[in-house]
Amino acid sequence: MLEIILLLGLHQLLLAVTVYEKGAEVVRMYKTLLGSQGFRNGMDLYFKRHDGQAVTCEDFFAAMRDANNADFANFLLWYSQAGTPVVKVASSYNAEARTFSLKFSQEVPPTPGQPIKEPMFIPVAVGLLDSTGKEVPLSSVHHDGTLQSVANNGQPVYTTVLRVTKKEEEFVFSDVSERPIPSLIRGYSAPIRLETDLTDSDLFLLLAYDSDEFNRWEAGQVLARKLMLNLVADFQQNKPLVLNPKFVHGLRSILSDLSLDKEFVAKAITLPGEGEIMDMMEVADPDAVHAVRTFIRKQLAHELKAELLSTVENNRSTEEYVFDHPNLARRALKNIALAYLASLEDSRCTELVLNEYRSATNMTDQFAALAAIAQNPGKTRDDILADFYSKWQEDYLVVNKWFALQAMSDVPGNVENVRNLLSHPAFDLRNPNKVYSLIGGFCGSPVNFHAKDGSGYKFLGEIVMQLDKINPQVASRMVSAFSRFRRYDETRQNLAKVTISGEDTVYQWTVRKRV
């Protein structure tokens, strides 16, 4: 019964989070459609009408519509229809007419109580790039039988918002001299799932040159996921791993562009996580995914070493810690570059990371340097972990981060290191936060928790049985790590079943908690 209650509580929490996130995105779409001044006009009217009142989403909609004399058609469906629209886009170019067409089709998947959905009002911010990556000025768009000008007082316009309101419709751009690459959903203009006919070459160009940071990041993530899945297949077939040079070029373009926001650059050069890639596989293979991600990280670090070293040099600071966006972004970029360099296991890079650790003036920089060195097993790693603990052993929150860092490590055979940390004087199995840091952290390392010898499963099974006698609620949270064991290969499934199906084991514990 306890487990059911916990699951229901988690469901309600996730439902609440989903509702608030969707509401925020809907509000942001008003601004996309109306522009900053139009949105401000709507807000002014909204407060004039309803200050101090209990209001509805319809009241907010009416204020935005009336203040701008706008036609929002079926926009309120965002509030009444559940689910995320799936939008498919097909493009075509007519060289003779010098026109470029985008055909949209949308569908909202059925959900309980709503088997049939109406088309949504979807603002799609669009720009076009030529074959060299330059922005194409937009003059007019033909849609629904009319030619609409997008010019702005004679000034070139490079982004326009298309209003997709029907199940299927087409927009045709005029006076386009060559087949362009469309940059779609700029700024994430609508919370949709987008499917396009963009080729890998198109995505590489967007990654290297798109002026829209969201699309540049998204192109990189899509390419990275494709590359990783293809290399996983090569790894499983014992083929040599080769990284596409166009991907390296795209990331080099981002690293070398000093005009870009540093927080964006930090996110753009961060690879998708191992769990994300395994979720895309029919049968998850932690060893292959880990090997491929490690290979890509090291290859990128090798190919971009000069740029990464410059990034560290240009973004270090010995000044007093300041909590603002420029400094947050600077630290984030420097520390991701540092992590890449540490993966090379080069003596000069290791010394660089050690110097960053020793000279750090704040916890963010010091812990990032520690995490970079902790990627590589050996005496240097052991020494710096011990040094960090000696400095911060009186701060239990920092010690919890120290436990989690070691537990989440992908170093080979890390289960034994975590087992040894159970007897560390700072660890207490009766303290939930310490359990979440050490045991929960270990479960977050797919390559070690899902070790093919079953050592990770066995370890967690032992811990859950001990926790059940101390704190059943914490034990229930830890046992959830077994919930997706069927996603893995038969060997791992069998090893997991051994842990969760014997007498007085996790399975028996779970059954007892259900009654």
Side-chain angles (χ1 to χ4, degrees), residues 25-33 75 78 121 123 189-191:
E25 287 298 326
V26 172
V27 170
R28 197 162 67 89
M29 281 192 287
Y30 285 116
K31 186 176 181 181
T32 298
L33 288 163
F75 192 84
W78 282 103
F121 187 122
S189 60

Side-chain angles (χ1 to χ4, degrees), residues 439 443 449 456-465 478 481-482:
I439 311 305
C443 296
F449 176 60
Y457 301 148
K458 181 180 179 182
F459 172 68
L460 181 59
E462 294 170 356
I463 294 298
V464 167
M465 298 310 300
M478 291 298 98
F482 285 109

Side-chain angles (χ1 to χ4, degrees), residues 161-175:
V161 178
L162 307 179
R163 300 185 172 205
V164 178
T165 60
K166 302 175 183 177
K167 185 174 179 61
E168 294 183 350
E169 55 191 317
E170 182 178 16
F171 297 82
V172 180
F173 292 87
S174 307
D175 195 26

Side-chain angles (χ1 to χ4, degrees), residues 43 45 62 96 123 149 152 163 181 196 220 332 340 352 362 388 432 437 471 490 493 506 515:
M43 289 298 299
L45 180 58
E96 184 176 348
S149 174
N152 182 21
R163 300 185 172 205
I181 292 87
T196 74
Y340 268 108
L352 172 67
N362 57 82
F388 186 86
S437 295
N471 192 329
E490 188 175 349
Q493 288 191 40
V506 175
V515 296

